[in-house]
Amino acid sequence: MRLLMIGDIVGRPGRRAVKENLPGLVQEQKIDFVIANGENAAGGNGITREITRELFTYGIDVITMGNHVWNKREVINFIENESRLIRPANYPPGTPGKGYGIYNTKNNVKIGVFNLSGRIFMPDLDCPFRSAATILPLLKEECKIILLDFHAEATSEKIALAYYLDNDISAFCGTHTHVQTADERILPGGTAYITDVGMTGPYESVIGVKKELVIEKFLTQMPKRFEVAAGTYQFNAVRIDIDEQTGNALSITRIQNYE
């Protein structure tokens, strides 16, 4: 089983990067299932119904979200009925949408995908550790292969949760910082791990935003409306090979493509 996890898609440049890179990668590297973080896909903040449909046409099977999930208010009207779009599962009970799902790959193998948000330097949601412990038994009833997108800021929180879940999930993919880390590895219990998958969006930018606007904000400390940068893109992802019988990861490989 070969999975592809795409790092945070940012605005129009990120969507173009997916359109131009994903079909070839799926064919050349024989990818069985594609997950992508899409919480910045619409102008750098949130996602719309139209953009959700657009990303699915490029070959993405499941879209995960994060702290910007509600920035485009229209998402509330369709997230409940779109099973392939999941938001962090540790939002309080009664929040629209779901935080996990079970899907079939091209080879008709079931895979569980769930999404959690961190709490350090992030909105104070329910405990991701306890939320994971609640969700895992539900996924394990049907799946050997389970992937988590942990949308979090602090590296310590990501590493701690990964060790907490080692041997219980196949892959732990960190998102949110928009900077791909070079620490991919297989943990002792068989879980593939990377602190952050990185960003799929404008290359000449400050994590996707026009660099001039960010610099000005740092210099003046005045409120500034951020805009997605234009120009060339970067495509960040990881490819993960998993043993279908055990659910353990066999390898994790970083992917960095540039326009």
Side-chain angles (χ1 to χ4, degrees):
M1 169 67 59
R2 178 165 287 180
L3 309 181
L4 187 75
M5 174 72 195
I6 301 173
D8 302 49
I9 300 168
V10 179
R12 192 181 302 273
R15 303 199 307 270
R16 182 163 58 88
V18 173
K19 180 180 181 180
E20 295 180 5
N21 283 267
L22 183 56
L25 278 172
V26 169
Q27 184 174 6
E28 294 163 13
Q29 302 199 21
K30 296 179 172 58
I31 304 296
D32 297 302
F33 199 81
V34 180
I35 307 102
N37 186 285
E39 71 139 16
N40 299 123
N45 282 289
I47 198 166
T48 64
R49 186 193 300 269
E50 181 181 355
I51 288 173
T52 300
R53 290 171 174 169
E54 175 189 345
L55 293 174
F56 287 146
T57 67
Y58 299 153
I60 293 172
D61 295 298
V62 174
I63 298 172
T64 54
M65 298 295 282
N67 57 299
H68 293 304
V69 58
W70 312 119
N71 284 36
K72 295 289 186 282
R73 296 287 296 174
E74 70 174 83
V75 74
I76 296 172
N77 298 324
F78 70 88
I79 194 170
E80 193 73 39
N81 297 317
E82 180 47 83
S83 62
R84 297 172 296 170
L85 177 66
I86 59 175
R87 45 84 175 158
N90 52 329
Y91 271 96
T95 303
K98 294 183 178 179
Y100 64 92
I102 296 173
Y103 311 93
N104 288 318
T105 69
K106 293 176 182 177
N107 299 328
N108 206 32
V109 175
K110 288 187 176 180
I111 174 173
V113 180
F114 69 118
N115 190 193
L116 292 169
S117 181
R119 296 197 294 181
I120 301 176
F121 312 123
M122 300 279 283
D124 192 16
L125 303 182
D126 294 344
C127 176
F129 290 76
R130 297 183 187 278
S131 295
T134 300
I135 292 167
L136 273 175
L138 304 176
L139 297 178
K140 285 185 169 184
E141 285 182 3
E142 299 187 50
C143 305
K144 284 279 189 182
I145 299 171
I146 300 172
L147 179 142
L148 167 64
D149 173 359
F150 188 41
H151 200 76
E153 184 79 33
T155 54
S156 60
E157 188 179 23
K158 290 178 175 179
I159 294 167
L161 183 59
Y163 276 122
Y164 179 70
L165 298 176
D166 187 22
N167 194 40
D168 283 323
I169 64 175
S170 307
F172 180 110
C173 296
T175 58
H176 179 64
T177 72
H178 293 200
V179 178
Q180 189 179 82
T181 54
D183 61 344
E184 74 279 10
R185 56 178 167 146
I186 307 297
L187 298 179
T191 297
Y193 173 82
I194 186 167
T195 298
D196 207 286
V197 180
M199 175 187 74
T200 295
Y203 180 58
E204 292 292 345
S205 69
V206 177
I207 60 172
V209 176
K210 289 181 178 179
K211 52 186 182 292
E212 298 84 3
L213 299 178
V214 180
I215 292 169
E216 184 177 347
K217 182 173 176 60
F218 277 122
L219 286 171
T220 65
Q221 291 299 299
M222 294 296 291
K224 200 70 184 174
R225 183 178 180 274
F226 286 165
E227 299 174 26
V228 174
T232 58
Y233 63 67
Q234 62 182 24
F235 178 93
N236 285 176
V238 289
R239 186 188 70 222
I240 305 166
D241 287 350
I242 298 170
D243 186 321
E244 293 181 17
Q245 301 303 314
T246 65
N248 289 339
L250 303 172
S251 67
I252 177 170
T253 305
R254 286 183 293 123
I255 296 172
Q256 293 181 320
N257 291 345
Y258 301 94
E259 188 175 23

